[in-house]
Amino acid sequence: MKRLMRHGRSASAFVFLAASGLVLSATPAQGADVARSEAISLSNDSQMIASPNGVTISIVASFPFPGIAPSLRDMAWDGSSLWIAENFFSTNYEIDPGTGTVISSIPAPASNPWGLAFDGVNLVNAQIAETGPPTPDVVYTVATTGGQINVWTGPTSPNAAHHGCAFDASAGNLWLSDSIAAAIFQLNPTTGAVISSFAAPGVDVRGMTFVGQDLWVIDLATLTLIRVTTTG
C-alpha cells in the first residue's frame, strides 16, 4: 500500500486516462477546476504532488467544471472523452479533456448519481438513494447517448454509499467503493454479484481508478491518495 498526502481542499473523484498516461482529478469545492498533469493532477489549489512512479510533478493545465461545481461526484474515461457525474442537475457530462469543452450531456438514470465508470461500451452509474433506507441504492448501466440498459441493487443496499466506481478492462470486472461499509467490492458488472471484497484502506474512500494493475483511491477523511492491490 502506498499513500500520497496532499493539503488544501478535498479531492473526491479522479480517473486514469490510459491513452495519454494522465489522471484527472477534481474537488467538490465551490469554484473548483478540473486539472490535469503528466501523471496525477488534483484541484487547481494544489502546488506539487507525487505521481504513481514517485516523481513529483506539477499541474500543467486546468479547465472550469461544467454545471454546479460543488456537485461533481465521479469521473470516467471512455478512450477519447472524459465523463463527469454531478448530482445537482443529476447529469453526466462528456468533456473534451484537452479544452474542457462540453461535448454532450445526458440525464443520469436517477437522482443523486455518484460513482461513475466506463465498461468499454457504456457508462456505469452508481446511485445513492436520497431518502435512505429502505429505498434501495442501485447501480445502472447507461448508454453514452442516454438511456438505461441494465440495473441492479448495490451489495450493501439499502444503507450504501457508492461513492466511487472503477472498471478493470483486463478482467472485465467492476470495482465499487462504499464509505459507509468501509469496503471495496469487486463485482460482476452485469449482475452485481460480489466476486470479492476487502476493507477500504481509509475511513472515507471516495473516487477510484485503475493505473496498471492497481487501484488508486482517495480517502476524503485524511486527504490521502492511496495505491492498493486488488486484494487490498
Side-chain angles (χ1 to χ4, degrees):
M1 182 186 300
K2 184 175 183 179
R3 293 172 179 260
L4 305 177
M5 295 297 296
R6 67 166 289 256
H7 302 285
R9 293 177 294 189
S10 57
S12 67
F14 66 115
V15 61
F16 179 61
L17 280 60
S20 58
L22 305 179
V23 172
L24 301 183
S25 181
T27 78
Q30 179 68 40
D33 281 0
V34 177
R36 66 190 180 94
S37 73
E38 293 179 355
I40 285 183
S41 63
L42 298 172
S43 63
N44 62 347
D45 62 333
S46 302
Q47 299 300 314
M48 299 289 286
I49 52 177
S51 69
N53 61 11
V55 178
T56 299
I57 56 174
S58 60
I59 292 170
V60 298
S62 67
F63 55 81
F65 172 67
I68 304 299
S71 60
L72 184 153
R73 297 308 178 201
D74 206 0
M75 297 189 286
W77 173 246
D78 71 3
S80 59
S81 297
L82 176 69
W83 287 86
I84 298 177
E86 66 83 40
N87 68 349
F88 187 89
F89 295 115
S90 295
T91 300
N92 292 322
Y93 293 92
E94 181 185 11
I95 305 295
D96 181 330
T99 64
T101 302
V102 176
I103 299 171
S104 68
S105 63
I106 59 173
S111 63
N112 205 32
W114 279 75
L116 187 69
F118 180 72
D119 68 5
V121 178
N122 302 303
L123 296 171
V124 180
N125 216 172
Q127 179 239 11
I128 301 174
E130 292 183 285
T131 56
T135 305
D137 306 282
V138 297
V139 179
Y140 296 89
T141 303
V142 184
T144 56
T145 54
Q148 177 182 317
I149 296 173
N150 190 21
V151 61
W152 39 266
T153 302
T156 53
S157 177
N159 190 31
H162 302 140
H163 285 125
C165 285
F167 190 78
D168 179 2
S170 63
N173 296 321
L174 179 72
W175 291 84
L176 188 68
S177 67
D178 189 315
S179 60
I180 292 179
I184 294 175
F185 297 88
Q186 182 186 19
L187 307 169
N188 180 307
T190 302
T191 65
V194 176
I195 299 170
S196 67
S197 66
F198 58 85
V203 298
D204 193 5
V205 168
R206 299 295 181 105
M208 300 193 299
T209 193
F210 263 93
V211 180
Q213 298 301 309
D214 296 329
L215 279 168
W216 285 78
V217 303
I218 289 175
D219 180 13
L220 186 61
T222 58
L223 307 185
T224 307
L225 182 60
I226 307 169
R227 181 181 182 179
V228 295
T229 68
T230 54
T231 58

